[in-house]
Amino acid sequence: MSSNSESIGKTLGVVTALCLVCAIFVSFASVQLRPFQDENKAKDIQRNILAAAGFSDVKDVKAVFEQNIEARVINFKTGEFTNTDPKSFDFEKTKFDQKRSIKLDKATDTAGILRMTEESPVYIAKGKNGGIDSIILPIQGYGLWGVMYGFISLEADTTTVKSINFYKHNETPGLGGEIQNKAWVATWSGKQLPIDIVKGTAGSDAHKVDGLSGATLTSKGVDHTVKFWTSENAFGPFLAKVRQGALNNG
Ligand SMILES: Cc1cc2nc3c(=O)[nH]c(=O)nc-3n(C[C@H](O)[C@H](O)[C@H](O)COP(=O)(O)O)c2cc1C
């Protein structure tokens, strides 16, 4: 009897020790790997920004980004640059920071995002002679199943779309997931703001883009997202400043 309880005690001791060792190992690995994970996440964002700016299949993402893209932070209300470090923005988390974001009322929240930050990073792809080639804006909005995160890039005139690029979403592959389909993305190039996503064929209408077939709800989500972020409630004041040439003073 006593040897039996002794062996149970020993077994429990070994199991506890093993759990402790494993927990320490996992915590250590998680802490050690975090900088690499953060770096990969930042690189992935940079790759998507480059893709929106028209750089595809980039190998040295960091170098090409640093050479061609200027990251700045703007204040939505004033449309002016601020001194905030663009690296301090995590697109998905900052809006939940009560000190850096505001709750949107229902009438304003057409993209279904609940909160928005007071500031936002913007990315300027530099053209020849240091001028603006395109402006890349982070956007997010509710699709059918959740928030879709992406970038829209505009030509220097601020009304011609260069590209749109969703990098994270929960839409159904083959249906709403087609927002990442290259052929559909290509239909945005050269379109003019404001844009309506229409059921059927947009044809050559510069203000219309074809909706995704079988994914009307996701298409509506994209429509609302683009309208919201290019409106006066979001990047509108900044885009007006760009048109006035105010960026050169930044
Ligand atoms: C399993 C399942 C997944 C779906 N996923 C999507 C989706 O990701 N996006 C979307 O707009 N509609 C999705 N739908 C279809 C919608 O319920 C709805 O029927 C559709 O948006 C209507 O589009 P249509 O008018 O172009 O047919 C899904 C339907 C089912 C059954």
Side-chain angles (χ1 to χ4, degrees):
M1 186 67 188
S2 86
S3 83
N4 199 11
S5 64
E6 213 177 275
S7 76
I8 288 173
K10 264 188 193 163
T11 309
L12 281 175
V14 169
V15 168
T16 310
L18 201 66
C19 285
L20 262 175
V21 170
C22 288
I24 290 168
F25 178 76
V26 170
S27 319
F28 181 76
S30 154
V31 170
Q32 291 297 308
L33 290 176
R34 192 159 302 141
F36 297 103
Q37 286 167 346
D38 289 347
E39 198 183 314
N40 279 341
K41 195 173 168 187
K43 210 185 248 179
D44 199 44
I45 294 284
Q46 288 182 340
R47 183 176 286 116
N48 284 297
I49 293 164
L50 285 172
F55 295 85
S56 52
D57 300 325
V58 176
K59 294 223 162 56
D60 191 345
V61 172
K62 197 165 175 259
V64 177
F65 187 89
E66 278 168 10
Q67 241 167 39
N68 296 282
I69 309 286
E70 187 188 355
R72 297 294 302 261
V73 171
I74 59 117
N75 177 287
F76 280 121
K77 276 214 176 86
T78 63
E80 305 271 6
F81 286 135
T82 73
N83 292 323
T84 309
D85 180 1
K87 290 196 185 97
S88 72
F89 268 90
D90 181 316
F91 298 115
E92 292 143 44
K93 288 187 189 146
T94 308
K95 77 171 182 184
F96 298 109
D97 181 341
Q98 308 270 329
K99 287 193 197 112
R100 298 175 75 182
S101 66
I102 50 163
K103 191 175 182 302
L104 294 170
D105 60 63
K106 243 190 164 162
T108 312
D109 189 16
T110 48
I113 52 173
L114 306 176
R115 304 187 67 84
M116 76 182 280
T117 47
E118 291 178 336
E119 297 185 326
S120 172
V122 295
Y123 302 91
I124 298 145
K126 289 174 267 181
K128 284 180 194 128
N129 309 321
I132 301 169
D133 176 76
S134 55
I135 300 147
I136 302 107
L137 309 171
I139 57 174
Q140 54 176 271
Y142 212 84
L144 174 59
W145 302 113
V147 178
M148 308 173 288
Y149 296 89
F151 294 98
I152 187 165
S153 64
L154 304 174
E155 306 277 355
D157 64 9
T158 75
T159 54
T160 308
V161 176
K162 186 161 184 169
S163 188
I164 190 164
N165 164 16
F166 286 96
Y167 63 89
K168 186 176 165 183
H169 63 82
N170 296 312
E171 305 308 285
T172 312
L175 293 170
E178 292 296 291
I179 50 172
Q180 289 182 310
N181 183 318
K182 281 188 179 158
W184 186 70
V185 169
T187 65
W188 283 77
S189 175
K191 295 286 178 178
Q192 295 288 321
L193 296 176
I195 287 170
D196 287 317
I197 300 185
V198 295
K199 223 173 167 172
T201 326
S204 58
D205 190 325
H207 293 284
K208 290 191 168 79
V209 167
D210 286 352
L212 293 162
S213 62
T216 298
L217 300 173
T218 304
S219 303
K220 276 200 174 129
V222 175
D223 179 285
H224 296 155
T225 301
V226 171
K227 285 195 174 103
F228 174 78
W229 289 103
T230 53
S231 77
E232 285 308 298
N233 292 323
F235 288 111
F238 166 68
L239 294 174
K241 285 262 166 5
V242 176
R243 282 193 297 277
Q244 292 155 13
L247 260 189
N248 299 331
N249 307 325

